[in-house]
Each structure stands twice: as C-alpha cells, then as structure tokens.
Amino acid sequence: MSADDKTRIVTENQSHTSTPTPNDDATVLTNQSVQSAAPGHQDETVITGQSPITASQGDVPQQPAPQKKTLIKNRFELKKMLGAGGMGAVYQAVDLRKVEAKDRNPYVAVKLLNDDFKRHPDAFISLQRESRKSQNLAHPNIVTVYDFDRDSDMVFMTMEFMEGAPLDEIIRQCAGVGLDQEEAYSVFKDVSEALAYAHSQGIIHSDFKPGNIFFTKNKTAKVFDFGIARAVSSTGISSGSTDDKTVFDAGSLSALTPTYASYEMLKGEEPSPSDDVYALACVTYELFAGKHPYDKTPADQAFDKKLKPERIKRLSKRQWKALAKALQLKGDQRTQTVDAFKAAFFSKSKLPYYIGGGTIAASVIAGLVYQQTHLVDETQLRESLQDEIQEELQVNIRANVELEMNQRLSLERLNEAISEPLSETWSEKVNTLIGEYMALAPGDTDSIVGARQKAMSVFLDAASQARSDGKLSEAKRLLDEAGLWQNESDLLEQEASLLANAEEALLKRQEEQRLAAQAEAERLAEARKQEQLRLEKERKAREQRLAREAQQRKINAAVAAVKDSLSCNARIDIKGDLTSKVNQLQKVSKARYNKEQAGFVNSLGSCIKTVARHSPASARRIKADSLALFPKSASLSAISIDMCAHLRPGSGSKGRRYFCQDYLSDGGKSPVLIVAKGGSKKLAVSRYEITVGDFNNYCKKTGQCSPLSGDTGMPASNISIAQAKAYTQWLSQQSGYSYRIPTKNEWMSVSNAERNGADPDRNCYIKFGSLQKGKSLVKATTGKPNDNGLINYVGNVQEWAFDGNGQLLAMGGSRKDPLKRCLVTSKVNHSGQPDDVTGFRVVRSLN
C-alpha cells in the first residue's frame, strides 16, 4: 500500500496505538489558523485497524471470546476497531438492545473521543457539535448519526455500520486508470449531492477527500467525518445558526488535508463552499484519471509552481471544461458552488434546442411574411411570435428532460438485468432491454458496447466455472453464447483456448485409460506365466536358502564371539583374545568382517574414551593395542587422551597418583601438572615452577635458545617473557594442548591457600640472629604444597602473569622480598626482561 494514502490496513494482532507513517493525505490538526501545511505533518490522522467485517443479516459474528469485554452504557459491546481519525477511533459494536429485540442487523459504529483530542479544552463540545451537525444532515449519501452520549470519562457517538470499502482504497486499485466510467459518474453524483445538501444546511465539510467517502456494497457512495465541518458564514450559501458561534467556535480546532485543501484554506481565510468545490474537483479527477490532478502538491505550492492538471481524454470537451474550472487554484476563478459544478458537468448539448430554434425561426420568418402580406401591426406580430417561441422551447425542454430520464431508467434496468443470475430467459430479457435503450439513445454506442461486453463476461464466467467443474459440453454451450454478444475479444479467445485444452486433456485421459486397460490385460497374462516360473525358482531358492542359513549361523556365531571380546574394561585383552576372534571372522566371511569392522572400531573408540575418564594410562594401552589390530583406522588415531581430565580440581595435594603429565610427540613428557580451578574454569597447572632442566630440554630440542647454567632442579630465571612464551608454544605443538602463561586471576585462584595457609618456610628474605633465608634460590621442588598441590608458589622466584588489560605482572614475591611482604597477594608490574628473581609456571585449559 502506498505511503501517500491516509488509510493503512494492519493485521488483527497489531495494536491500534502504533505510530502512523506520515503521508500526503493526512488530516492536519492545529489550534491556530492554517497558513500553510506541508505533507507528512506530525499530527496527521491515520486510520488503522481492519476493514469492516461483513456480517450476514440476523447473525452476530462468532469472534473468539476476549478475556474482558468492553461495554459502554451497558448497551454497546465493542468488537473491533475499524479506524482512527483526528478526533477519535471508530469501532464496530453490537447494540445489545437490538439483539434483545431480535433485530436482524444489530451492528452500529461507535466513535470514541481519543485521549489526545480530549486534552483540547473544546474537545467534548467538538464531538457534540459533530454529532448534532451529522444528525441534521439527513441524506442518503451522508453517513447516518444516531446519538451522542458519554459513559464516565468515555465520550462517544453512535452511527450506522456500513459494509464496503473506503474510496481511497478503490482509487489505489485503479491507479493511473480510474474507475469504470459508469461507476465514476455514480460516485461523483452521490458525493456532489451530499455536499450540495450539506451546503444548503449551512455546513461546509472542510476536509473532503477519498478517505472520507465510503463506497458500500450496494454501490452507493456516502460522505462521513463532519467532525471538522464549519458553519457557512452569512456571506456564504446560508447563514446557518449562530448558536455554535457564541458557545463554541469550530475554527479553534482547525483541520485540513493539505493535498485536498483549497488555496484559501491553506492561507487561513474564512471557509467558503468553494473550498469543498476544489476538494470535490480533485476527487472527481481521481475518479476518472486514477491520480491527483496536481500530483498531491498542496494548492498554494501548485500555484507558485504554475502547475496545470493534465487533460482527461475520456471526458467530453464540455465535461473537461466544467472540471477544469472547478480545479482552479484561486477562488475568484473557481466554480463557486457544488450545484453549479454538477450542472456544468452533467448538462446536455444545446444542439437539439438550436435545431428546434431553427425550426421556430423558420416559422417566425414565414409568419412575418404572412403578417406583412396581410398588413398586420408589427408590435402585435412580435409579441405573438415570442409567445409561440417560449411555448415551443418549454415543450422541447420537457421532452429532452423526459427523454434523459427515460434513458437513465432504461440503462439502470439493463444493468440490473445483466447482474441477475443466468436463466433460460436471461439473454432474451437483456436483448430486449438493449433494444429499448438503443431506441431511446441511439448515439450512446459506448453504453451499448459496454452492456454487450458485460453480457459476454457473464457467459465467460459461467463457461469458466463449468470448465473448472469438468462440464465441458456445458462450457462449450456457454462459450458459444458469449460469442453471440461479442465475437472479437481476447478474453473470449483465451477461454476458448482453455476449453480446447480441457477437451484435449479429456481425450488424452480417455486414451490413457484405454491403454491402461490394455496394459492391465497383458500384465495379467504375463503374471500367469511368471507364476509358473516362480514356483520352479522357489524350489531352487529353498535349497539355496537352507545352505545360506547354515552359513549365516556360522557367521553370526563368529560376530557374536568378537562382540563378547569387546566388553569394555581397563584390562580388555585386545592382543590375544580379540585379535584371535577377529581373525576367525575374517576366515568365515571377509564381507561380513568388512561390514562389521566400523562397528568394532567404534566400540573400541568408545571404550578408550570411557576408560580415559578414570585411567588415562590404561586408555593409552588400549588405544595402542587397538591401532595394532586396526592400523588404518583414522578415528582411533584421532582419539585424544587427556592425562589430566580425570582428576578433580584441588586433588593435587593428596599425593603422586593425583599428578599428571602430557605425552609429547618427541617421546618426552610435559612438566608435572596438577588440576585446580582458575576462577570458574578447570585448569591443569605445573606443580613446580619451570626448572632449568625443563627449559634446557626445550633449547636442546629446538635449537632456538642457549641452555641455562646451574642446577637443573632450580627454577628457570634470567630469561625474557618472549622466551617463556616460545617455551609454552613448543609445549602446545608437542602435546596438542594449548599451554600459556596464567592470567593474574588464574594465578591467584590456584595459589590461594585456604586450609593449609602460606608455607611458613617459604624462601623469602629474613635475617634473625643466626637465622637467615633468601640468600639464594632453592630447588623448585622445595617447600610445602598448598591446598591445590602447588609447590614454591610464594618466594624463591616471583612468577609471571597477565592482568585483564594484558599488563605483565610478577606474582607471589621473590627471595629478595621481606617475609612479611612475601605473600600470595604480592604483585608488581614487570617489563618482561630477564632477571635472576623472576620465573614462571604454565597452565592449560581442560575440557
């Protein structure tokens, strides 16, 4: 749906309080006189909700029961919001009094004053005035208003509930083309009569536009939303009542739609019937052209740009002249009243009168000659002739009016007949009515052609339905009937082509059925022959089956033996028992072995993973024996056995069986690890600080560094952070796990001593008499373990860690730090350069 239109339909689940999208056809409300209004004003009126529900007569629609019914005045039950305007929202409601009285149509429309409008000091008066104005406008082309009332803080009025569609939606569906000629005439006539009547009652609509016109299912156009209508001043078509002026001034709630407002309205001038004439002309242009005459440009801007509406070719010269004058941007050049616009648009040609006048003139001349011949007084002759001319003109006028009325009634009867269901007398009746209309209006070939086209369409629709129902003979008859009304039509040719295709498809189906029956007979004969062959084959197959079953039992026994040997435990005998039974299966059936091999491998893989959860060493043995039996198994080779994963965090202080080491690809092992919690994560942490021996082994294997001097059991110091990271990368490559320097939080978490407390004999600086510590480094294995099993985590060498911002820190103090400041919480920033009191531990994450 275009964003230029006022109406926006939303789904049932959407709230009617959602923010509307600005558009060109919105009603703009303001508390001051309107000087100019640009499209897309933020206070626009947007109708939301659903199209009105079509309800059958006598039945209340069965909606899902809401959790809470909205009942007004204990009488009107709100069912669904139909739309929202500048003053309030309109709902479909059931009048419970009508239901009680068994009224066949219990529906009404209820308009509630919205919260924004209620805040205006004159809001209540505005709705009451709208109700009263609308009640006073009793016209078949104006929406009927029943009553105005309030229930607590809810102010509302009730009006008739209509079924159909708003005109702006219909115009959008005919964009760039316009409505059907007859339908456009009908709508123009209905709404112009509604406005003319309102003007006669002293009321100007002031916001006339397609969105305020409803086209009912009975093909009647009705005007609504007189909520901003203003009384015509004493200089207008009617003085109206002055009661509203003294008590309430509707001008205090000025409102307009910029694309349909006149130049004078946009400049804030007093209202005039000519304002509604301009809006009516814009709507009429859209009815016949399918677009706005000034492309939705407000009148004041269109005047500044010197815009001119494009000529509508489907209108006669006379009709276009009348419409163009009503579309004039300045009021002094525009048609002043709706009646004048309508009369100019629908007026008939004066040619019959001219012809009659010519006849009369000939009579006059003959009379003059006669009078002169008989010497009659000239004055008496002139008066006599004028009387005769007036009398003949009146006769001609009456005759033309009567003819026009007869033509219209005849055309209405013709259209009604075409709309009736097809019957045996339908064609005869329509033909008769066409003949009657041709006799009354021989020059109106467009209506005759249009009627014949409609008649053809009726038969085409019936033929299409018959074809869809498979009644091809009936469809052919109806198609022939359609051709009698108009034998040259794309639709006729299209339906004929579809019917031909349907007939061809029918013949094809019949031929297919014949061939199918023939094939079925041949199939039965062949089946009898095959039955004899089957019995013979069955005898031989029985013998073969018994032999296969015996072989299969032998194979199944061999498979079962293998599966029995696959029972998983830490001592599973793969080299002996399982290998023997696998070899036996291969001898009995190589094919079955190949089929079962993947299952055997999967069972061994699951066993390796199961055993690894409590005994990684046993799992390594099972994996090695399994690969010896199935050396090409990529899945077994890919199984990773984490030597630390089975350990519980914090178990490292319980003894050697709770230590672990990763196997390296060069045949070596990682430093001794314990398992602890580093914050919320489970970590494997080196039990000791990385030693000189650990680091020298890395240097020897890679050649990327020079070995450190000194005792290999001492913590590795005098190396840079870059060398420490290189060591962790080497461990990662060798083990397949991701080793790294710990974070500050991880170091603090694994080093914290909750139960045992800090090691009182830690290698920190102290001198007390002959007692002195911290003179030199001690071995990494020296000291008392903490709760997680870590040794020498405080003192000796301070250990590297990174904080959350990537800053390198040295944790836990060193041998040079006084004992009282040599704590788990001790930390200093570090440059990463080598020194003799800084070392490191390594950590890796566990799954």
Side-chain angles (χ1 to χ4, degrees):
M1 188 171 291
S2 170
D4 289 341
D5 297 322
K6 167 185 176 272
T7 302
R8 175 168 59 88
I9 303 302
V10 297
T11 64
E12 185 173 357
N13 292 330
Q14 285 180 283
S15 171
H16 63 271
T17 60
S18 58
T19 304
T21 304
N23 53 75
D24 289 345
D25 292 347
T27 299
V28 179
L29 295 171
T30 176
N31 288 328
Q32 299 177 354
S33 296
V34 178
Q35 299 302 322
S36 63
H41 192 281
Q42 64 180 3
D43 291 333
E44 64 196 11
T45 295
V46 176
I47 292 181
T48 61
Q50 295 186 333
S51 298
I53 295 177
T54 301
S56 60
Q57 294 292 329
D59 293 326
V60 176
Q62 299 301 314
Q63 297 286 344
Q67 295 180 353
K68 182 179 180 182
K69 294 183 178 180
T70 302
L71 197 63
I72 300 178
K73 296 288 285 189
N74 290 320
R75 175 175 178 178
F76 302 106
E77 182 182 335
L78 302 187
K79 289 294 185 183
K80 187 166 296 185
M81 193 183 83
L82 305 177
M87 292 174 62
V90 180
Y91 293 83
Q92 178 198 18
V94 174
D95 186 344
L96 299 182
R97 297 293 179 272
K98 290 187 177 184
V99 173
E100 183 180 358
K102 302 186 184 303
D103 193 310
R104 295 181 63 194
N105 183 16
Y107 295 100
V108 296
V110 175
K111 183 171 184 177
L112 297 178
L113 199 67
N114 65 32
D115 292 337
D116 290 338
F117 200 77
K118 274 193 285 190
R119 285 193 285 269
H120 193 282
D122 294 322
F124 179 82
I125 301 174
S126 177
L127 188 60
Q128 192 275 337
R129 291 297 185 268
E130 176 186 359
S131 175
R132 198 183 75 177
K133 290 170 185 174
S134 299
Q135 285 175 321
N136 292 337
L137 297 176
H139 191 275
N141 298 115
I142 296 177
V143 175
T144 303
V145 173
Y146 300 136
D147 199 4
F148 167 79
D149 206 344
R150 75 183 304 158
D151 186 355
S152 184
D153 63 342
M154 286 190 294
V155 182
F156 68 96
M157 69 179 184
T158 55
M159 58 192 118
E160 67 174 307
F161 174 69
M162 299 176 294
E163 299 176 79
L167 185 59
D168 56 351
E169 181 179 322
I170 297 172
I171 289 175
R172 277 195 298 276
Q173 294 171 356
C174 304
V177 178
L179 279 65
D180 175 77
Q181 192 87 348
E182 183 178 337
E183 200 168 66
Y185 283 141
S186 175
V187 173
F188 173 50
K189 181 178 179 299
D190 285 351
V191 299
S192 59
E193 288 180 357
L195 285 178
Y197 175 76
H199 291 177
S200 72
Q201 300 301 306
I203 294 175
I204 298 173
H205 192 289
S206 295
D207 194 24
F208 186 77
K209 57 187 174 184
N212 284 339
I213 301 168
F214 200 83
F215 196 58
T216 70
K217 67 177 185 179
N218 297 324
K219 306 300 182 184
T220 300
K222 292 199 173 193
V223 181
F224 63 93
D225 202 357
F226 280 85
I228 59 167
R230 300 178 67 180
V232 181
S233 66
S234 59
T235 59
I237 59 174
S238 172
S239 61
S241 173
T242 60
D243 293 343
D244 290 352
K245 192 66 178 179
T246 57
V247 179
F248 168 70
D249 179 15
S252 65
L253 290 174
S254 300
L256 52 78
T257 299
T259 53
Y260 295 92
S262 69
Y263 182 93
E264 292 75 27
M265 291 176 67
L266 293 172
K267 297 303 181 183
E269 297 183 10
E270 285 297 315
S272 164
S274 177
D275 298 333
D276 282 352
V277 170
Y278 176 77
L280 173 61
C282 290
V283 173
T284 304
Y285 191 97
E286 290 186 89
L287 289 173
F288 288 96
K291 61 181 181 179
H292 189 277
Y294 297 107
D295 196 24
K296 303 271 184 175
T297 303
D300 54 352
Q301 298 178 27
F303 181 79
D304 294 339
K305 297 177 181 179
K306 296 181 172 54
L307 298 182
K308 299 292 182 183
E310 182 182 349
R311 167 82 156 87
I312 301 177
K313 295 181 180 179
R314 64 191 292 198
L315 296 181
S316 67
K317 183 177 180 181
R318 167 181 48 79
Q319 291 170 328
W320 171 246
K321 182 178 179 182
L323 178 56
K325 184 171 177 60
L327 284 171
Q328 289 296 316
L329 296 171
K330 296 299 288 288
D332 56 357
Q333 300 173 5
R334 187 187 312 131
T335 306
Q336 294 301 302
T337 67
V338 172
D339 281 332
F341 176 26
K342 177 185 170 189
F345 189 88
F346 285 112
S347 65
K348 296 296 182 180
S349 173
K350 298 299 189 294
L351 183 57
Y353 300 155
Y354 296 156
I355 295 173
T359 305
I360 295 170
S363 301
V364 171
I365 294 170
L368 284 171
V369 173
Y370 178 84
Q371 293 291 343
Q372 287 174 350
T373 304
H374 293 80
L375 303 177
V376 179
D377 180 74
E378 182 178 352
T379 301
Q380 182 180 356
L381 176 62
R382 183 181 299 108
E383 292 175 353
S384 174
L385 288 174
Q386 287 178 345
D387 291 340
E388 291 178 8
I389 290 171
Q390 286 293 333
E391 182 177 354
E392 187 166 353
L393 285 174
Q394 291 296 327
V395 170
N396 285 337
I397 290 172
R398 283 195 298 272
N400 278 287
V401 170
E402 183 177 354
L403 175 61
E404 184 178 348
M405 291 178 62
N406 289 337
Q407 288 173 343
R408 180 175 178 180
L409 290 173
S410 176
L411 189 58
E412 289 177 355
R413 287 196 299 271
L414 173 57
N415 288 325
E416 289 175 359
I418 293 174
S419 301
E420 293 175 359
L422 285 176
S423 64
E424 293 182 359
T425 60
W426 191 91
S427 295
E428 180 181 357
K429 181 177 180 181
V430 172
N431 262 321
T432 300
L433 291 173
I434 286 177
E436 291 177 0
Y437 184 72
M438 289 177 65
L440 290 170
D444 188 5
T445 57
D446 288 345
S447 295
I448 301 301
V449 170
R452 297 189 70 83
Q453 287 176 339
K454 290 179 182 178
M456 178 197 70
S457 296
V458 170
F459 280 102
L460 276 181
D461 292 342
S464 177
Q465 184 61 49
R467 173 176 52 76
S468 298
D469 295 341
K471 302 175 182 178
L472 301 187
S473 298
E474 177 67 8
K476 181 67 169 61
R477 183 188 69 78
L478 292 168
L479 188 62
D480 291 340
E481 286 278 355
L484 296 176
W485 292 98
Q486 184 176 358
N487 56 12
E488 292 185 3
S489 167
D490 292 341
L491 293 175
L492 194 64
E493 292 179 3
Q494 180 181 359
E495 183 57 35
S497 176
L498 292 173
L499 180 58
N501 292 340
E503 292 173 337
E504 182 180 351
L506 177 61
L507 292 174
K508 184 178 180 181
R509 286 196 302 273
Q510 292 172 344
E511 178 63 14
E512 289 173 349
Q513 292 170 355
R514 184 189 68 77
L515 293 175
Q518 179 181 337
E520 178 63 13
E522 295 173 353
R523 185 193 66 77
L524 291 174
E526 180 65 20
R528 286 190 292 271
K529 177 181 177 181
Q530 294 299 323
E531 178 65 14
Q532 297 299 323
L533 296 174
R534 185 190 65 78
L535 292 174
E536 176 63 20
K537 290 181 179 179
E538 191 177 77
R539 182 187 63 80
K540 294 180 180 179
R542 188 181 304 110
E543 296 175 354
Q544 295 172 354
R545 187 185 72 252
L546 293 173
R548 287 196 303 271
E549 288 175 352
Q551 176 66 10
Q552 189 62 46
R553 284 193 293 273
K554 188 175 181 180
I555 294 172
N556 290 343
V559 171
V562 174
K563 290 183 178 179
D564 287 342
S565 297
L566 281 170
S567 179
C568 182
N569 57 73
R571 295 181 299 279
I572 184 172
D573 184 5
I574 297 174
K575 285 184 176 181
D577 184 52
L578 180 60
T579 299
S580 174
K581 291 178 179 178
V582 167
N583 291 337
Q584 179 62 26
L585 175 60
Q586 286 182 295
K587 291 178 182 179
V588 173
S589 174
K590 183 69 173 177
R592 183 64 180 273
Y593 166 77
N594 292 335
K595 181 179 179 181
E596 298 286 346
Q597 182 182 7
F600 300 157
V601 170
N602 289 339
S603 295
L604 287 172
S606 297
C607 185
I608 293 168
K609 294 174 183 176
T610 300
V611 173
R613 286 198 288 269
H614 57 82
S615 178
S618 298
R620 280 181 59 82
R621 186 216 19 113
I622 296 172
K623 177 180 178 182
D625 293 346
S626 298
L627 283 172
L629 181 58
F630 300 108
K632 296 182 179 180
S633 174
S635 61
L636 290 175
S637 297
I639 294 176
S640 175
I641 301 174
D642 192 330
M643 301 304 292
C644 300
H646 67 294
L647 296 176
R648 184 172 56 82
S651 61
S653 62
K654 294 182 178 182
R656 184 175 299 277
R657 59 183 292 204
Y658 296 97
F659 303 164
C660 58
Q661 285 180 280
D662 290 328
Y663 286 86
L664 305 182
S665 59
D666 64 3
K669 290 185 179 182
S670 71
V672 175
L673 304 172
I674 55 92
V675 176
K677 275 195 175 180
S680 61
K681 296 185 295 185
K682 184 178 177 183
L683 295 174
V685 187
S686 57
R687 175 175 169 82
Y688 312 107
E689 295 158 330
I690 299 302
T691 66
V692 171
D694 294 330
F695 190 78
N696 286 350
N697 180 53
Y698 153 70
C699 293
K700 179 180 178 182
K701 293 291 180 65
T702 64
Q704 295 182 4
C705 52
S706 299
L708 300 175
S709 61
D711 189 335
T712 57
M714 290 293 183
S717 61
N718 285 313
I719 62 174
S720 68
I721 187 63
Q723 290 175 304
K725 286 183 176 180
Y727 173 73
T728 62
Q729 291 173 1
W730 175 75
L731 278 180
S732 299
Q733 293 168 356
Q734 288 287 311
S735 66
Y737 299 106
S738 181
Y739 280 85
R740 55 186 171 79
I741 303 297
T743 66
K744 181 195 79 170
N745 289 339
E746 290 171 341
W747 192 96
M748 291 290 293
S749 180
V750 301
S751 300
N752 186 33
E754 296 179 356
R755 296 188 301 274
N756 297 332
D759 183 0
D761 197 31
R762 55 191 180 275
N763 188 27
C764 300
Y765 179 77
I766 183 172
K767 185 175 182 181
F768 186 75
S770 60
L771 174 64
Q772 183 173 354
K773 294 182 66 66
K775 292 177 61 177
S776 61
L777 295 176
V778 298
K779 287 189 176 183
T781 56
T782 303
K784 177 184 176 182
N786 74 348
D787 298 340
N788 285 317
L790 263 65
I791 299 293
N792 227 332
Y793 53 95
V794 177
N796 213 25
V797 290
Q798 56 188 3
E799 300 176 12
W800 277 320
F802 290 96
D803 70 7
N805 297 319
Q807 172 64 46
L808 182 62
L809 305 173
M811 308 293 295
S814 72
R815 69 176 181 82
K816 294 183 178 181
D817 290 317
L819 183 65
K820 64 180 180 180
R821 293 201 302 270
C822 191
L823 305 170
V824 171
T825 56
S826 299
K827 66 177 183 296
V828 294
N829 291 339
H830 198 279
S831 67
Q833 296 304 311
D835 61 53
D836 61 350
V837 292
T838 305
F840 66 101
R841 292 177 193 268
V842 293
V843 299
R844 70 170 177 87
S845 298
L846 294 174
N847 296 330

